Amino acid sequence: GLKLTREELGDCQRCKLKDKRTNIVFGMGKPDAALVFVGEAPGGDEDRTGEPFVGAAGQLLTKMIEAMGLSREDVYICNILKCRPPGNRNPEPDEIVECEPFLKKQLAAIRPRMIVTLGKFAAQCLLRSDAPISRLRGAWKEYQGIPLMPTFHPAFLLRTPSAKREVWADLQEVMRELDRLGIQRTSPSRPA
Ligand code: URA
C-alpha cells in the first residue's frame, strides 16, 4: 500500500535533487481516493512544509477541487517528482526516471477511478507522449486502464487566467464521469 511505498522511498538519495531539498513531498489525501491529481514537482512552499500544492498554485488547485463539489480530503494529490528542483526549474529526464516508479506505485496502491494530470510533465510522463499539453488537454486518455484527463497546470492559469475556461471544461468532463460512476460529490459551483 501507500505506507509501504513511502517506506521504500525512505530518505531518498536516488537523484541529484536530494542535496537541495528540505522535505520530501510524497503526496496527501485519501488513500483510496476515486480521483487523483498529479502535478509536476514541489515548489518552495511545498518543500518547506512537505505538503503538495500549498503555495499560490496550490490554493488555486484547492479552489478548483472545491468548485467540483469535492474537498482536498476526498481526493489524493501528488507530483511526479517528490523533491523540489532548485529555483523551480523543470524536471530533468534522469530525475523523472528515478522518481516515476514511486508515482506508479502510489497509483497502483490507490487504484483511483480517474486521474487528472496538471501540466505538460505529468501528462507526458504518464501517457508516454511528447505531444504538447495544448494538444493533449481536454480529451480522455488512459493510464493502465484508468481514465486520465490532462489539463493545464494551475501555475499556468495564474499567468494566463483566460485559460481557466478550458480547464473548467476539462473538469466538467471529470465531474460528468464521477457522477456517471456514482461517486459522491456536492453540486458544483462556478469556476474559481
Ligand atoms: N506545483 C506542482 O506541480 N506541484 C506542487 O506540489 C506545487 C506546485
Side-chain angles (χ1 to χ4, degrees), residues 39-43 46 52-53 79 153:
E40 182 175 316
E46 292 79 18
F53 281 101
N79 289 297
H153 195 288

Side-chain angles (χ1 to χ4, degrees), residues 94-148:
D94 56 316
E95 296 157 1
I96 294 176
V97 162
E98 292 297 337
C99 216
E100 183 191 349
F102 292 91
L103 172 61
K104 296 195 152 192
K105 286 178 192 190
Q106 284 172 295
L107 293 171
I110 299 165
R111 300 183 60 211
R113 306 293 295 270
M114 262 168 270
I115 297 168
V116 172
T117 56
L118 303 167
K120 154 183 158 163
F121 286 93
Q124 290 186 344
C125 171
L126 288 181
L127 297 175
R128 291 282 178 266
S129 167
D130 51 22
I133 183 62
S134 57
R135 294 273 296 277
L136 290 172
R137 65 144 285 276
W140 286 108
K141 313 279 185 211
E142 231 173 68
Y143 166 78
Q144 303 261 118
I146 304 167
L148 183 154

Side-chain angles (χ1 to χ4, degrees), residues 44-180:
D45 295 294
E46 292 79 18
D47 178 62
R48 269 189 294 283
T49 59
E51 296 188 2
F53 281 101
V54 293
Q59 286 167 32
L60 180 52
L61 176 63
T62 302
K63 281 170 65 174
M64 289 159 49
I65 290 168
E66 288 173 357
M68 295 173 75
L70 297 166
S71 75
R72 282 177 69 108
E73 290 70 40
D74 295 326
V75 302
Y76 192 84
I77 304 173
C78 60
N79 289 297
I80 314 174
L81 297 188
K82 308 313 190 208
C83 295
R84 182 195 188 196
N88 301 338
R89 65 156 169 75
N90 288 337
E92 291 178 356
D94 56 316
E95 296 157 1
I96 294 176
V97 162
E98 292 297 337
C99 216
E100 183 191 349
F102 292 91
L103 172 61
K104 296 195 152 192
K105 286 178 192 190
Q106 284 172 295
L107 293 171
I110 299 165
R111 300 183 60 211
R113 306 293 295 270
M114 262 168 270
I115 297 168
V116 172
T117 56
L118 303 167
K120 154 183 158 163
F121 286 93
Q124 290 186 344
C125 171
L126 288 181
L127 297 175
R128 291 282 178 266
S129 167
D130 51 22
I133 183 62
S134 57
R135 294 273 296 277
L136 290 172
R137 65 144 285 276
W140 286 108
K141 313 279 185 211
E142 231 173 68
Y143 166 78
Q144 303 261 118
I146 304 167
L148 183 154
M149 178 61 73
T151 196
F152 291 133
H153 195 288
F156 170 71
L157 295 183
L158 293 174
R159 303 189 298 270
T160 316
S162 59
K164 286 182 181 179
R165 177 179 294 276
E166 289 153 287
V167 170
W168 187 241
D170 302 344
L171 296 179
Q172 286 185 87
E173 285 290 328
V174 174
M175 288 186 273
R176 189 173 1 263
E177 190 63 8
L178 290 171
D179 291 349
R180 200 182 66 79

